[in-house]
Amino acid sequence: MILQALEEYYENLLQQGKVAKAGWCQAKVSHVIELNEDGTIKGIVSLKQEEERGKKKVLIAPMLFVPEMVIRSSGISANFLCDNAKYLLGIDEDGTKPRIMDCFLAAKDKHLSILSKGKGAMAKAICAYFRNWNPKTAKENPILREYWEELNEGGNIIFGMRALEAQEDDEIKALWEEARNAESNEQQGICLVTGQRTDISRIHKGIKGVPGAQSSGAALVSFNAPAFESYGKEQSYNAPVGKYAEFAYTTALNYLLNQREYCFPLGDSMIVFWAESGKEEYQKTFMSWMNPQVDNQEEMKKLFGNLQRGIRVDVQDIQLNMEQKFYILCLAPNAARLSVRFFYQNSFGNIMENLSKHYQRMEIVKPAWVELDYLGIQKMLFETVNQKSKDKTPIPSMAAMVLNAVLQNNRYPATLYTDTLIRIRSEQGNITCGRAAIIKAVLMKNYNWKEGEKFMGLNEDCKETAYVLGRLFAVLEFIQREANPGINATIRDRYFNSACATPASVFPILIKLKNSHMKKIERESAGTKVYYEKLLTELIGKIELSEKMQGFPSRFSLEEQGKFMLGYYHQVQKRYEKKEEK
């Protein structure tokens, strides 16, 4: 299913001219060797262009379509028309060595074997170049001396003549296709992707751009030990994928990973996404919803409203088709291979609707200084880690599970909830708006807390014991602060964790402390004391007593602990809200 979706995506990209056709690829090319008709070097042309990267300006080599490049490990294997200085010039920074000469000879053999039949000026010039060029005398060439350091930086080089690049020459294109077809000596079989009988690819190309995987490329499909083989079929013959399908899916996936604005890291994984049609508007919309910014808040609210009312959704005056198939693939590094954390496909409309439901569950009252109305997945996971640690990466498997749950509108993973509670307890009750939003969303989705929809802000009508005690704890802290202005450590620092888990062991102590604090407040302001006494009476009156529970509960479950924290957070925000109104 993954390979089929990627193959279809490749074909749509090919129609739009965004990827190379079979037998070709895209590569960064830094220089062109300009040839004369007799094969001598006329000049060296740098293709690098200056681009701004942050505050710096750097020289970047452009991406060009070139003949398909070989997969190198440690041996000598030459590319056609596009390679580094070792292969095309037979040099490195120190000159020429025996191994580098072998690289040049390999390139010479390959080019002469393919282009020897050529009758055009470009083909003849390249053949003449390889027949006459002597790498040992390269340093004596004044043209090369001028560009010696640049050419040996490791960038790719191509040939050109009269402002025409060699790979653009029609005759050379035909000769390359002829050579590719003649080299086909792979086993034949039924391709599992296309269902057609064709040459089966023995080794699949590497996928580049997944953090933690090999920089030279990691395999998505591969077999490297007899334990993984069956019926005597070795390597990738064990899962037959045709050469065309293999080229298509690897090209499409590498294209996605190279488009950094349309993929993002999550934990140790990399998330890529695409619409079946290949149109970028869907990717732009999905990315903006996954990582909301201050400047797109109003646009998101408008899109949410349009989805809820069932009317057309436009992005930059382009109407989006809500029935468009959309795919999300989560890849994680696994040594020289890639593992698939999850692969999800659905209509674009359903995915957007599931995302909107998630953001609705995450709605919570926030401090005035918080500008973001919507907390993106990455920032949401950031709330579960220690903000002071060097490594702020969330648990890898949990990160992928959270995204998968959001996309499918399923229950959140239990680790998201428990990790959030643990982080709050480890910081003695430091409940940020993000952590409160996570608690509310999980309680609504996982614990069927239907009343949660009313809990964006303080719910003064709620009589659930855990929620009320959370509010009560916040009020007791307010009283302590009122009695001791400028106090550094409050009851939250010492008693929050116990009050949250075992309220019966803590609240009687806090009530006694409150009495001494109220005496101090009375001396300063009798009206303030009356206000707090009324609030305390109201809250304690909401605690429902029964035959089984006389007084405060002895223990709270994880669900009740979340409600306690939410009650505390809401009461604190209500106090700040009143201060801002004043």
Side-chain angles (χ1 to χ4, degrees):
M1 183 61 73
I2 298 175
L3 303 191
Q4 287 175 330
L6 285 168
E7 187 204 15
E8 291 175 3
Y9 182 58
Y10 164 79
E11 290 174 350
N12 284 321
L13 290 174
L14 184 62
Q15 290 178 1
Q16 298 172 34
K18 294 179 179 178
V19 293
K21 64 179 182 179
W24 295 75
C25 69
Q26 283 185 301
K28 289 184 178 180
V29 179
S30 58
H31 292 85
V32 178
I33 301 175
E34 280 283 337
L35 298 177
N36 293 309
E37 288 192 6
D38 60 359
T40 57
I41 298 177
K42 181 179 180 180
I44 302 294
V45 179
S46 176
L47 298 179
K48 292 183 178 180
Q49 299 172 345
E50 196 174 70
E51 289 185 11
E52 289 188 7
R53 294 290 175 89
K55 296 180 180 180
K56 295 182 179 180
K57 289 185 177 181
V58 294
L59 292 173
I60 302 296
M63 297 287 289
L64 300 181
F65 290 113
V66 297
E68 188 175 2
M69 303 179 81
V70 297
I71 302 171
R72 290 193 187 124
S73 53
S74 58
I76 293 175
S77 185
N79 290 312
F80 181 60
L81 296 181
C82 178
D83 219 319
N84 57 43
K86 294 177 182 178
Y87 282 89
L88 296 191
L89 291 166
I91 62 172
D92 68 359
E93 60 271 12
D94 299 322
T96 300
K97 298 176 183 177
R99 190 180 187 282
I100 296 172
M101 183 59 105
D102 291 340
C103 292
F104 174 76
L105 293 175
K108 177 180 179 179
D109 291 341
K110 185 161 193 170
H111 284 79
L112 291 178
S113 65
I114 295 174
L115 300 177
S116 58
K117 297 179 183 178
K119 297 179 181 180
M122 183 74 78
K124 287 182 177 181
I126 294 174
C127 288
Y129 164 79
F130 276 107
R131 290 192 186 103
N132 300 325
W133 179 251
N134 184 3
K136 294 180 180 179
T137 61
K139 275 195 172 181
E140 300 172 9
N141 189 303
I143 298 173
L144 286 191
R145 278 204 306 270
E146 184 181 350
Y147 290 90
W148 190 270
E149 291 184 3
E150 290 184 41
L151 292 171
N152 285 293
E153 288 176 350
N156 289 316
I157 305 169
I158 59 174
F159 294 106
M161 190 170 67
R162 297 173 186 163
L164 177 67
E165 295 170 355
Q167 72 274 9
E168 297 296 329
D169 185 87
D170 292 334
E171 182 188 40
I172 289 179
K173 286 181 182 179
L175 290 170
W176 169 239
E177 292 299 327
E178 183 182 335
R180 282 185 59 245
N181 296 330
E183 287 178 0
S184 179
N185 56 0
E186 300 284 359
Q187 291 186 17
Q188 287 212 332
I190 303 298
C191 173
L192 295 179
V193 178
T194 63
Q196 299 175 354
R197 186 168 188 82
T198 183
D199 289 342
I200 302 301
S201 184
R202 182 175 66 88
I203 298 176
H204 294 208
K205 293 181 187 65
I207 307 301
K208 300 178 182 180
V210 178
Q214 289 186 352
S215 58
S216 58
L220 184 63
V221 178
S222 71
F223 302 85
N224 69 333
F228 309 129
E229 298 170 3
S230 59
Y231 299 99
K233 294 183 177 181
E234 299 178 347
Q235 294 182 317
S236 294
Y237 295 133
N238 193 32
V241 175
K243 293 189 74 175
Y244 171 78
E246 178 265 330
F247 174 83
Y249 93 77
T250 54
T251 301
L253 193 49
N254 278 317
Y255 172 84
L256 284 167
L257 288 165
N258 192 49
Q259 305 297 309
R260 287 300 178 184
E261 65 270 32
Y262 301 138
C263 63
F264 60 90
L266 190 68
D268 70 336
S269 305
M270 180 62 79
I271 312 296
V272 295
F273 43 90
W274 68 96
E276 185 181 43
S277 64
K279 291 182 178 179
E280 294 183 352
E281 290 78 17
Y282 296 93
Q283 291 170 297
K284 288 178 181 177
T285 304
F286 180 78
M287 187 63 178
S288 67
W289 281 36
M290 290 301 298
N291 186 27
Q293 302 297 324
V294 175
D295 57 0
N296 71 344
Q297 305 275 320
E298 293 304 318
E299 183 183 357
M300 286 185 66
K301 288 177 183 177
K302 178 184 174 183
L303 291 174
F304 277 146
N306 289 353
L307 277 174
Q308 291 172 355
R309 292 190 294 271
I311 61 178
R312 59 183 283 171
V313 175
D314 296 343
V315 174
Q316 297 178 348
D317 297 327
I318 298 174
Q319 184 176 358
L320 299 180
N321 176 15
M322 293 294 103
E323 299 302 318
Q324 171 67 56
K325 277 188 180 179
F326 198 77
Y327 305 92
I328 300 103
L329 176 62
C330 178
L331 299 172
N334 182 14
R337 288 161 186 77
L338 298 176
S339 60
V340 177
R341 282 271 161 80
F342 71 82
F343 176 64
Y344 181 66
Q345 71 172 67
N346 204 331
S347 69
F348 188 72
N350 286 341
I351 291 174
M352 291 295 98
E353 187 175 345
N354 291 341
L355 273 174
S356 68
K357 289 178 180 177
H358 162 71
Y359 283 129
Q360 286 171 4
R361 289 191 292 268
M362 292 281 289
E363 287 179 352
I364 196 87
V365 62
K366 299 177 178 67
W369 51 266
V370 176
E371 296 181 312
L372 277 174
D373 292 330
Y374 303 104
L375 192 67
I377 302 295
Q378 288 175 298
K379 292 176 182 175
M380 170 185 170
L381 293 168
F382 189 66
E383 296 287 349
T384 66
V385 299
N386 184 358
Q387 309 297 307
K388 296 180 181 179
S389 66
K390 291 183 179 179
D391 183 13
K392 296 182 175 63
T393 306
I395 299 174
S397 57
M398 186 263 284
M401 289 166 64
V402 168
L403 177 58
N404 197 17
V406 170
L407 293 172
Q408 300 190 53
N409 195 30
N410 285 341
R411 290 164 57 91
Y412 298 99
T415 49
L416 173 65
Y417 185 63
T418 55
D419 282 7
T420 303
L421 298 190
I422 290 170
R423 178 48 43 202
I424 291 171
R425 286 199 291 264
S426 66
E427 296 180 14
Q428 287 78 43
N430 179 21
I431 308 174
T432 62
C433 57
R435 291 168 183 171
I438 292 172
I439 291 171
K440 173 176 173 283
V442 174
L443 288 174
M444 290 177 64
K445 188 65 180 176
N446 292 23
Y447 293 94
N448 296 318
W449 195 33
K450 294 181 180 178
E451 291 185 6
E453 296 175 0
K454 306 173 186 176
F455 283 73
M456 179 178 174
L458 180 65
N459 188 337
E460 297 180 345
D461 297 327
C462 179
K463 293 185 178 180
E464 293 193 45
T465 302
Y467 185 81
V468 173
L469 286 181
R471 292 182 60 194
L472 178 61
F473 188 89
V475 172
L476 292 172
E477 186 183 14
F478 300 159
I479 293 171
Q480 184 187 25
R481 288 185 181 278
E482 197 79 42
N484 303 280
I487 188 172
N488 292 324
T490 66
I491 58 173
R492 195 193 82 178
D493 300 282
R494 184 173 179 182
Y495 294 108
F496 183 88
N497 291 346
S498 300
C500 180
T502 55
S505 65
V506 174
F507 272 96
I509 298 172
L510 299 180
I511 297 296
K512 288 180 181 179
L513 287 173
K514 177 266 303 180
N515 293 333
S516 61
H517 295 149
M518 290 293 261
K519 289 178 182 178
K520 289 183 180 180
I521 293 173
E522 186 178 17
R523 289 196 292 267
E524 298 293 330
S525 172
T528 303
K529 178 194 174 188
V530 172
Y531 166 75
Y532 280 121
E533 283 182 341
K534 285 183 178 179
L535 188 54
L536 289 171
T537 303
E538 178 189 346
L539 290 174
I540 293 174
K542 290 179 183 292
I543 300 174
E544 296 181 356
L545 302 179
S546 63
E547 294 180 1
K548 295 181 180 180
M549 188 185 76
Q550 296 296 330
F552 298 106
S554 59
R555 189 174 299 277
F556 276 156
S557 64
L558 284 177
E559 178 184 356
E560 290 169 325
Q561 288 180 38
K563 292 177 180 178
F564 178 95
M565 293 176 182
L566 204 56
Y568 174 83
Y569 174 81
H570 280 153
Q571 192 67 49
V572 170
Q573 291 306 311
K574 190 69 175 178
R575 177 183 174 87
Y576 291 147
E577 186 181 298
K578 288 183 178 179
K579 283 186 176 181
E580 288 164 10
E581 287 174 0
K582 289 180 183 179

